[in-house]
Amino acid sequence: MKGWRIAWTPDLAGLIPVDREVAEVAERGARVFRTVGAAFESASPDFSETNDIVLSTRGLMMAALHADKLEEWCDQMQPGLVWNIEQGLRLTPQEIGRGEKLRTLLWHRVRVFFERYDLLVLPTVAVKPFPVEQPYPAEINGRPLANYTQWFFLTYAISLTGLPAISVPCGFTKDGLPVGLQIVVGAGRRRPCSPPAAALERAAPWADKVPPIVNA
């Protein structure tokens, strides 16, 4: 990967809080790219409009897909989904249009960012794996989340750009829980995601590390 230019960010320029241990493990994994010849520095586009874009685009989609189920199944549906449907039904045409405009502005900002960098690398999600019984994390590092979508904003924000991305294991927490590193390629780049992902796995192999099995 000699000559590749890689930008690292733990949180997409402060978009959401990121669990401290997740950020530390992901950064150690990201810095492995330096050992295979890549240039590495901290940098990120501004993703601050992500929540506004998600509320308009996701809310509209959830209303379109599931609003017809509310009358009969509301009491059996996941509360976050019900909230998202109802939020989508309240959207005005102006709010929907604003969300699309913000998404276009974000896309162009990210496009300009990738004129300098080949890859953007960041944690796949902002939190450690949590119990399956827990619907979603309510807070990160003591900061409450505004809604159930925000804990996965690090991947959702990248999805909003439509850019190619891949997630690979990059290390483990002190409790043996896996942490993923997301690798994003800029629009128009001829370089795909798979070579850097393969390079990371060769430089920092993990397949022999299996978390302990806990019997309930």
Side-chain angles (χ1 to χ4, degrees):
M1 294 186 61
K2 186 176 181 180
W4 287 56
R5 298 165 296 177
I6 298 179
W8 151 260
T9 176
D11 55 9
L12 289 176
L15 174 61
I16 56 170
V18 174
D19 178 90
R20 296 180 184 88
E21 189 175 9
V22 168
E24 291 171 2
V25 173
E27 183 171 7
R28 284 199 300 271
R31 288 186 179 277
V32 170
F33 285 119
R34 299 177 72 173
T35 69
V36 292
F40 182 93
E41 63 182 272
S42 296
S44 174
D46 178 9
F47 277 84
S48 57
E49 307 100 329
T50 295
N51 194 61
D52 290 336
I53 300 171
V54 170
L55 288 176
S56 60
T57 57
R58 184 182 178 89
L60 184 64
M61 178 177 65
M62 292 302 170
L65 292 174
H66 303 298
D68 59 334
K69 305 176 180 69
L70 283 181
E71 183 175 356
E72 184 175 359
W73 302 105
C74 182
D75 61 338
Q76 298 183 50
M77 294 168 71
Q78 200 264 352
L81 175 59
V82 173
W83 167 82
N84 222 166
I85 295 169
E86 293 176 341
Q87 177 262 321
L89 291 172
R90 292 192 299 269
L91 288 170
T92 66
Q94 290 83 1
E95 289 170 331
I96 295 169
R98 178 175 178 271
E100 291 299 331
K101 181 179 179 180
L102 289 175
R103 184 173 180 176
T104 299
L105 293 172
L106 173 64
W107 190 90
H108 283 293
R109 188 185 306 131
V110 173
R111 175 184 58 80
V112 171
F113 177 84
F114 275 106
E115 290 176 358
R116 180 176 179 182
Y117 299 100
D118 295 296
L119 301 177
L120 176 66
V121 296
L122 63 152
T124 302
V125 290
V127 295
K128 295 182 284 189
F130 49 89
V132 67
E133 297 83 9
Q134 183 180 349
Y136 64 91
E139 62 178 36
I140 302 175
N141 293 341
R143 289 176 54 185
L145 302 181
N147 61 66
Y148 84 102
T149 67
Q150 290 187 325
W151 72 272
F152 54 86
F153 264 14
L154 296 185
T155 45
Y156 207 132
I158 299 301
S159 295
L160 291 176
T161 69
L163 295 177
I166 189 171
S167 175
V168 293
C170 69
F172 296 84
T173 67
K174 295 176 182 177
D175 297 332
L177 299 173
V179 174
L181 186 71
Q182 187 177 187
I183 302 171
V184 187
V185 180
R189 292 286 179 183
R190 295 182 179 180
R191 293 170 169 173
C193 299
S194 50
L200 178 64
E201 291 189 346
R202 285 194 298 270
W206 52 267
D208 60 321
K209 298 178 176 62
V210 180
I213 297 175
V214 178
N215 294 317

